[in-house]
Amino acid sequence: MKNKIPFFKFEKKKSTITNIKKVINSGWLTTGDQSRIFEKKFQNFLKVKYALSVNSCTSALHLSMIANGIKKNDKVVVPSITFVSCIETILYLGAIPIVIDVNTDTNTVDFENLKLLIKKEKNIKALIFVHLSGYPIKLDDKKQNFQKICDNNNIKIIEDCSHAFPTKIFEKYSGNSNNLCCFSFYANKTLSTAEGGMITTNNKKLSDKINRIRNHGFDRDAWKRYTNIKSKWEYDVIDMGFKYNLPDLNSSLGISQLPFVLIDQKKRENIANIYYKNLSSFKYIILPKRPISNSMHSWHLFRIQLKKNIKISRQKILAELAHLGIGTSVHYKPLHRLNYYKKKLGLLNKNYPNSENIWKSTISLPIYPSLKLRDVIYICKNLKKVINENI
């Protein structure tokens, strides 16, 4: 049955087509003035000093590790519940991923586990901290100070903010940091350029390094060389680089959506509240943790968990909802269960008890700005019906 309610739906803005046509008519499709404008607008939104566009969050993670000096045999800590790009980019460099179990609260790196790991393991050089689902997390919290423990042990933090736009903690946006922060503009993100990403930081040295290596290590960008008639043709390569730049066509999509980011976040928040209202008294599921006061949750995902006292399997629930025209997903199958990494790194399920319990019971429900109130109520009604009929 074709979905009546897809898991995600891209919503173009009035300026989307206009911006795309502008780029096409300019005759310059790849990285140029539109990408620079997109970077500046994104930088201003977050109130961060530097923003550098790239062609994916995977590229952003890879460049961030290089800029932070991660080399062969260095150890990089990564949570088990995250997307595969976090671990594969570690291996690109010949570094060693250390997959760590998550906490049951926010489903990201467990602070106590991290402290124990730092005491046990030598040569840990970096931590990839994932802001899962867009929940606001303060890295320098007084009780669980990830920033302090990493700084004290000379461990670099790379923030995976692919779900965290716009996410705010105590009036400060995720991405406004001295760390390197990696954003995703993939097709189903809160802001989409089809494919794309951004790296933000307040650290000039790291920003300068990434600016060089994201486009082959050139000392000058192609747009200036080809579009400025007074510009000299000659260029040089001053660093080992990659083909990770974001084209203007993609950037034009981002520019069209940026003015509506906060409006769309409010719509997502309203949808989340409807889910809470309709499902909070349903005893067979656990709802995601609400954000703390004085903060903003991006609500990129709305992830529920099934309680252990139900007899129906998650797969059965997903199949029944699909039959009723409701699109769902699961975020994520843990890294320690992915066959390639399981074998390569010798990962054992028993070492990840929290991740095991979370992923086996997690369902991501639709949440996007154009989702109608009646559709959210339809989802809640049928989710409860499917479970109740199998108790």
Side-chain angles (χ1 to χ4, degrees):
M1 178 178 182
K2 186 176 181 181
N3 285 346
K4 295 178 182 177
I5 306 172
F7 176 68
F8 175 78
K9 184 178 180 181
F10 175 74
E11 183 180 350
K12 70 177 183 293
K13 309 302 181 183
K14 289 183 179 180
S15 60
T16 300
I17 303 302
T18 302
N19 285 7
I20 292 173
K21 285 183 177 179
K22 180 181 176 181
V23 173
I24 293 172
N25 291 335
S26 75
W28 187 265
L29 305 184
T30 189
T31 307
D33 67 332
Q34 293 304 298
S35 294
R36 301 295 172 258
I37 291 170
F38 183 35
E39 290 173 342
K40 189 65 177 178
K41 287 180 178 293
F42 197 82
Q43 172 189 326
N44 291 341
F45 183 95
L46 295 182
K47 296 181 173 60
V48 68
K49 290 184 178 179
Y50 308 102
L52 303 109
S53 60
V54 288
N55 61 3
S56 73
C57 188
T58 304
S59 302
L61 290 165
H62 187 200
L63 292 174
S64 294
M65 279 187 276
I66 293 171
N68 273 314
I70 305 304
K71 297 181 175 61
K72 186 176 181 180
N73 294 326
D74 287 343
K75 295 174 183 176
V76 180
V77 180
V78 60
S80 185
I81 294 186
T82 186
F83 188 58
V84 66
S85 57
C86 286
I87 193 169
E88 67 188 5
T89 50
I90 298 170
L91 291 174
Y92 290 169
L93 300 171
I96 301 169
I98 301 182
V99 182
I100 191 172
D101 201 10
V102 300
N103 63 53
T104 56
D105 188 31
T106 58
N107 298 177
T108 190
V109 175
D110 184 82
F111 184 69
E112 295 303 323
N113 282 352
L114 179 63
K115 287 200 299 183
L116 291 173
L117 185 66
I118 290 172
K119 289 181 180 179
K120 176 184 174 183
E121 294 281 353
K122 296 180 179 179
N123 205 33
I124 296 177
K125 294 299 176 67
L127 161 69
I128 297 179
F129 191 95
V130 180
H131 296 270
L132 192 67
S133 301
Y135 182 85
I137 297 176
K138 185 174 171 59
L139 293 186
D140 57 355
D141 181 77
K142 289 182 180 179
K143 291 183 178 179
Q144 297 190 346
N145 198 320
F146 288 93
Q147 193 68 57
K148 184 177 180 180
I149 192 174
C150 286
D151 288 347
N152 288 346
N153 289 276
N154 199 28
I155 296 171
K156 306 296 184 182
I157 295 180
I158 297 168
E159 298 185 48
D160 183 337
C161 298
S162 57
H163 295 180
F165 185 72
T167 290
K168 185 184 285 188
I169 183 77
F170 299 141
E171 302 304 316
K172 186 177 181 180
Y173 282 110
S174 295
N176 186 342
S177 171
N178 291 328
N179 301 321
L180 288 172
C181 303
C182 305
F183 290 86
S184 171
F185 305 138
Y186 182 63
N188 65 351
K189 293 299 188 289
T190 53
L191 183 150
S192 173
T193 61
E195 298 281 0
M198 191 80 74
I199 305 171
T200 63
T201 186
N202 290 316
N203 186 309
K204 185 178 187 303
K205 183 177 179 181
L206 293 176
S207 174
D208 289 346
K209 173 73 173 180
I210 288 170
N211 192 38
R212 291 195 303 272
I213 64 177
R214 64 175 165 168
N215 192 18
H216 300 298
F218 289 146
D219 63 341
R220 301 165 60 211
D221 64 53
W223 180 66
K224 289 181 180 178
R225 286 190 284 115
Y226 284 110
T227 58
N228 186 345
I229 59 174
K230 295 182 180 180
S231 178
K232 296 180 180 179
W233 67 266
E234 190 175 355
Y235 63 89
D236 198 1
V237 173
I238 57 176
D239 207 338
M240 171 66 183
F242 302 86
K243 180 62 174 170
Y244 284 168
N245 56 299
L246 184 69
D248 271 10
L249 270 175
N250 300 73
S251 293
S252 68
L253 284 169
I255 291 170
S256 71
Q257 292 167 70
L258 264 174
F260 303 93
V261 162
L262 293 179
I263 295 171
D264 287 349
Q265 185 279 335
K266 184 57 66 175
K267 290 178 180 178
R268 287 173 176 267
E269 188 175 88
N270 290 338
I271 293 166
N273 288 335
I274 298 169
Y275 276 130
Y276 280 109
K277 181 178 179 180
N278 285 270
L279 296 174
S280 59
S281 62
F282 190 52
K283 63 182 180 180
Y284 298 111
I285 65 171
I286 301 170
L287 293 172
K289 184 178 180 180
R290 281 185 180 274
I292 62 175
S293 60
N294 212 16
S295 65
M296 178 187 293
H297 195 312
S298 75
W299 292 114
H300 168 57
L301 298 175
F302 193 89
R303 298 164 63 248
I304 64 169
Q305 283 182 251
L306 305 172
K307 289 187 177 179
K308 293 181 179 180
N309 59 342
I310 65 171
K311 296 179 181 178
I312 183 173
S313 70
R314 177 180 62 184
Q315 190 55 41
K316 173 75 170 172
I317 294 172
L318 296 178
E320 290 289 337
L321 292 178
H323 180 71
L324 293 165
I326 300 169
T328 58
S329 189
V330 174
H331 296 84
Y332 292 99
K333 187 173 183 178
L335 300 180
H336 70 267
R337 276 188 166 264
L338 300 178
N339 195 44
Y340 177 80
Y341 299 105
K342 189 179 185 73
K343 290 182 178 180
K344 183 176 182 63
L345 302 174
L347 304 177
L348 302 175
N349 295 351
K350 67 180 182 180
N351 292 333
Y352 305 93
N354 292 341
S355 299
E356 281 287 293
N357 291 332
I358 292 164
W359 104 271
K360 288 178 180 178
S361 61
T362 296
I363 297 175
S364 294
L365 299 177
I367 185 165
Y368 46 89
S370 61
L371 188 62
K372 305 297 184 185
L373 170 62
R374 64 176 182 271
D375 291 334
V376 183
I377 293 173
Y378 176 82
I379 293 167
C380 295
K381 176 183 175 181
N382 283 285
L383 174 64
K384 290 190 283 188
K385 182 180 178 182
V386 167
I387 293 175
N388 281 329
E389 287 177 348
N390 290 272
I391 296 302

